[in-house]
Amino acid sequence: MPGSGSIEPGLLVRVVRKEMIAEGVVKLVLSDISGAELPAWTPGAHIDLLLEDGTCRQYSLCGDQNDLATYEIAVLRENESRGGSAYIHDVLEEGDSALVKGPRNNFALVGSQKYLFIAGGIGITPIMPMLEALGTSTEWRLLYGGRSRSSMAFRDELVTRYGDRVNIRPQDEFGMLDLDSELNGADSGTAVYCCGPEPLLEAVEHRCESCSNASLHVERFSPKVQDHAETTAFEVELARSGKTLLVPADRSIVDVLGDVGIDVDVSCEEGICGTCETAVLDGIPDHRDSVLTEEEKAENDAMMLCVSRSCSPQLRLDL
């Protein structure tokens, strides 16, 4: 549901376990610092993790959704980290605390008779709970790629638990994933879920454009590269207060709202987490996020305020 402009309170958690589970991948187990149950979540959900160094990053929940005593996330050390993964790997220790917001889900598991999961590297994390939820009574298969076997988190666990439903294909042994054979062989009505690095997502999206058999669902860790028209100024009318504000070409809606004391909950500020989703009552948004599907964007009833702008001279927002 689109946000209403209120700031979501954070939840203080403690790191109760930290362990390396693959080359360059550390798993954190988090619990409420007071011992209370954590908010419920569904497969595909992520949390915002706010660290003491001031960084805020989104991480998919990869543990047991029925265990509300803990959350589990897996974090890849990024070579070009902006601070989040390096801090978690090098500084954060068992017993340390952090602030969590969410969970929220932009990658929810839809009902289907058949599923094809495609994971690249750390993109396996949101898929793990999906497989657990589906179990073995539903028809599904997983294509899982990575740089090498040693870098692929949960590899042995997946093979032991699900057997030949899981196709492990490290790049140093098999080369690039054979997406053509996987997608061309998908039966009609197959739900395809893909998460991983941007080149993989783009490749799967490209192939699914000509594949009428499958419905594609993706989740991104970084913004999708997009071509947009020239950035121009526009107005936003705030339906609840009646205020009208000018958004200059060089500023975001979130920034302008902050100038007049209206705080909107934001996290990634890149259009990938969905935190700042807000209902649009009138006008045509210029969608620049990587969360909404093309069908959702066409409805023009919600937008991400951190990156999106306006195609019409004015937008009327539910704020």
Side-chain angles (χ1 to χ4, degrees):
M1 178 179 294
S4 61
S6 59
I7 296 297
E8 177 187 351
L11 182 69
L12 193 62
V13 298
R14 176 179 287 114
V15 180
V16 296
R17 190 163 74 250
K18 176 182 178 180
E19 59 178 316
M20 294 295 297
I21 59 171
E23 181 183 316
V25 180
V26 66
K27 183 172 78 170
L28 299 182
V29 181
L30 311 170
S31 68
D32 187 294
I33 204 162
S34 69
E37 280 195 346
L38 295 163
W41 57 282
T42 53
H46 69 268
I47 57 172
D48 297 343
L49 190 63
L50 291 78
L51 303 169
E52 288 187 356
D53 70 344
T55 59
C56 176
R57 298 290 181 267
Q58 294 74 46
Y59 298 106
S60 298
L61 292 168
C62 58
D64 180 358
Q65 71 173 107
N66 297 311
D67 175 16
L68 297 182
T70 60
Y71 284 159
E72 294 183 16
I73 60 174
V75 181
L76 170 69
R77 176 188 284 277
E78 299 282 0
N79 292 332
E80 298 181 3
S81 171
R82 295 173 296 162
S85 71
Y87 184 92
I88 288 172
H89 276 255
D90 300 336
V91 179
L92 195 67
E93 299 293 347
E94 292 182 359
D96 289 348
S97 61
L99 201 63
V100 161
K101 289 188 177 184
R104 58 180 57 86
N105 199 338
N106 304 316
F107 195 47
L109 187 64
V110 301
S112 181
Q113 292 185 336
K114 298 179 181 180
Y115 297 85
L116 169 60
F117 298 96
I118 303 174
I122 200 63
I124 191 63
T125 51
I127 291 174
M128 292 289 292
M130 295 183 181
L131 305 184
E132 172 69 21
L134 293 175
T136 56
S137 59
T138 303
E139 187 174 338
W140 63 262
R141 66 184 190 276
L142 167 65
L143 177 64
Y144 181 16
R147 298 188 316 276
S148 63
R149 288 182 184 272
S150 62
S151 71
M152 299 171 70
F154 307 111
R155 181 197 72 241
D156 292 339
E157 176 183 338
L158 286 164
V159 173
T160 299
R161 193 164 191 176
Y162 301 115
D164 59 8
R165 288 174 179 251
V166 177
N167 191 5
I168 302 293
R169 285 293 183 269
Q171 186 175 347
D172 62 352
E173 297 178 32
F174 297 94
M176 304 297 287
L177 294 178
D178 186 357
L179 299 177
D180 290 326
S181 63
E182 290 288 344
L183 292 168
N184 291 339
D187 294 331
S188 179
T190 299
V192 178
Y193 279 79
C194 182
C195 187
E198 186 61 26
L200 172 63
L201 299 183
E202 290 182 353
V204 172
E205 286 178 328
H206 176 71
R207 285 164 174 80
C208 283
E209 287 176 358
S210 58
C211 179
S212 59
N213 291 341
S215 61
L216 178 61
H217 309 263
V218 302
E219 180 159 71
R220 286 180 154 82
F221 297 138
S222 59
K224 182 178 181 179
V225 176
Q226 305 178 57
D227 293 325
H228 295 289
E230 181 182 356
T231 297
T232 58
F234 59 95
E235 291 183 340
V236 290
E237 178 188 347
L238 311 183
R240 300 181 196 177
S241 67
K243 292 181 179 179
T244 298
L245 306 174
L246 176 67
V247 181
D250 60 347
R251 303 192 70 202
S252 70
I253 298 175
V254 169
D255 290 339
V256 171
L257 291 173
D259 290 345
V260 295
I262 300 175
D263 292 326
V264 176
D265 208 1
V266 295
S267 179
C268 72
E269 299 187 69
E270 295 181 308
I272 59 173
C273 72
T275 303
C276 63
E277 183 176 358
T278 299
V280 178
L281 305 179
D282 194 25
I284 304 173
D286 177 8
H287 296 288
R288 302 189 178 191
D289 67 274
S290 302
V291 176
L292 298 175
T293 64
E294 293 305 314
E295 291 77 12
E296 290 169 336
K297 290 178 179 179
E299 293 173 358
N300 287 326
D301 60 1
M303 66 185 298
M304 306 302 159
L305 300 186
C306 65
V307 293
S308 294
R309 301 189 67 79
S310 182
C311 295
S312 54
Q314 186 179 83
L315 293 173
R316 189 164 181 258
L317 303 178
D318 185 19
L319 290 173

